[in-house]
Amino acid sequence: MKKVTFLTITALLTLGVATPAMAATPKNSDADITLIEDDHPDGPLRISKVTDITFGIDSISGSDKSYYAHYLENDKNADNKYRANYMQVVDNRGTNQGWSLQVQNDAFKGKNDKGEDVTLANAELVMTSTHAQKNSVDKDTQAILPNAEVPVEATGWIFQSEVKVNGSAATIATAKKDNGMGVNNVYFGQASDVPSDNKKLETKNRSIELRIPGISTKSKTKYTSTLTWTLTDDPA
């Protein structure tokens, strides 16, 4: 005889007033970071990039003449304009105390067609710093401090006009206290829509000038001078 078993399931639902949850006792957790000094071999305050200056190829003159720098041939900014010469300064000290940028140069020297050493006597290099710019590949986040056709003293920054660069160190730009932190480019001139052309004066950068007196003896040769750039941690 087949036995059939029935299983009865009773489902219960009790409704009532909900008991409020009790607040848990708060506990604390920690978050920490240990900061150490920037371990770059050149130190936390440093010049990370220097651009060479070229005045191109130009004719000898028996009169006083000014020659102007070319814009950087293969270096464009985020707006696709040719950059003027610049220095890239890194300040990772974390002290926010500011800095000063100084420059000096030796004489312009070359060799004549006889292989003899020659010097471009009394030549005068004159430079004007115009603005600083926070370095960024995204132009929307580039802070320009300030970007003016005429060099100015802005709050926190000093840009020097027509500095005569010779054998003695001369201050050419200063980031005062609470300025100049991180990566900044210090520019000498505004960007240009067109590249420089040896034969077109209007395409040159007038913020960097080489003045050569007419009385100076000149040879048909390439003259070169070495510029020495120095950062000091004193913005005074």
Side-chain angles (χ1 to χ4, degrees):
M1 179 177 181
K2 187 176 180 180
K3 183 178 180 180
V4 179
T5 302
F6 294 95
L7 178 64
T8 301
I9 300 175
T10 302
L12 299 177
L13 173 65
T14 302
L15 298 177
V17 178
T19 302
M22 299 298 292
T25 302
K27 297 292 184 181
N28 296 328
S29 64
D30 295 328
D32 67 81
I33 182 173
T34 301
L35 297 177
I36 63 173
E37 185 176 77
D38 179 1
D39 61 357
H40 192 279
D42 292 334
L45 178 64
R46 60 186 181 269
I47 297 171
S48 61
K49 186 173 183 178
V50 182
T51 57
D52 293 329
I53 300 170
T54 180
F55 295 95
I57 301 171
D58 217 319
S59 58
I60 292 173
S61 176
S63 302
D64 294 351
K65 185 173 180 177
S66 289
Y67 301 82
Y68 297 98
H70 287 213
Y71 286 95
L72 302 177
E73 184 176 3
N74 298 310
D75 192 346
K76 291 186 176 182
N77 63 17
D79 292 322
N80 203 36
K81 292 185 177 182
Y82 293 91
R83 294 180 191 261
N85 284 94
Y86 65 96
M87 306 292 303
Q88 189 172 95
V89 177
V90 177
D91 182 3
N92 285 339
R93 294 171 296 169
T95 60
N96 296 17
Q97 70 186 68
W99 44 260
S100 289
L101 178 63
Q102 299 179 337
V103 62
Q104 66 187 84
N105 80 303
D106 59 14
F108 281 80
K109 300 176 181 179
K111 290 186 179 294
N112 61 19
D113 53 9
K114 297 179 182 179
E116 301 168 334
D117 292 333
V118 290
T119 299
L120 199 53
N122 300 312
E124 188 173 65
L125 178 62
V126 180
M127 301 184 68
T128 293
S129 57
T130 55
H131 62 287
Q133 187 173 33
K134 286 289 184 186
N135 187 49
S136 173
V137 295
D138 182 359
K139 69 177 183 179
D140 293 332
T141 61
Q142 290 178 339
I144 301 175
L145 313 163
N147 191 350
E149 290 295 335
V150 179
V152 298
E153 178 173 346
T155 302
W157 289 86
I158 301 174
F159 302 104
Q160 302 287 357
S161 178
E162 295 197 355
V163 174
K164 296 179 180 179
V165 184
N166 50 38
S168 300
T171 298
I172 198 162
T174 300
K176 296 192 286 188
K177 186 177 183 295
D178 293 326
N179 290 271
M181 294 81 74
V183 183
N184 285 276
N185 294 338
V186 178
Y187 281 89
F188 303 91
Q190 308 302 320
S192 173
D193 291 317
V194 297
S196 293
D197 187 318
N198 274 317
K199 297 180 180 180
K200 296 179 179 179
L201 183 61
E202 66 273 14
T203 66
K204 309 289 184 64
N205 177 14
R206 289 180 173 269
S207 292
I208 304 178
E209 178 183 2
L210 181 61
R211 300 170 181 170
I212 304 178
I215 62 172
S216 295
T217 301
K218 309 167 188 72
S219 298
K220 293 184 293 182
T221 188
K222 180 179 181 179
Y223 291 94
T224 303
S225 178
T226 299
L227 276 66
T228 301
W229 299 86
T230 306
L231 270 179
T232 69
D233 59 7
D234 180 9

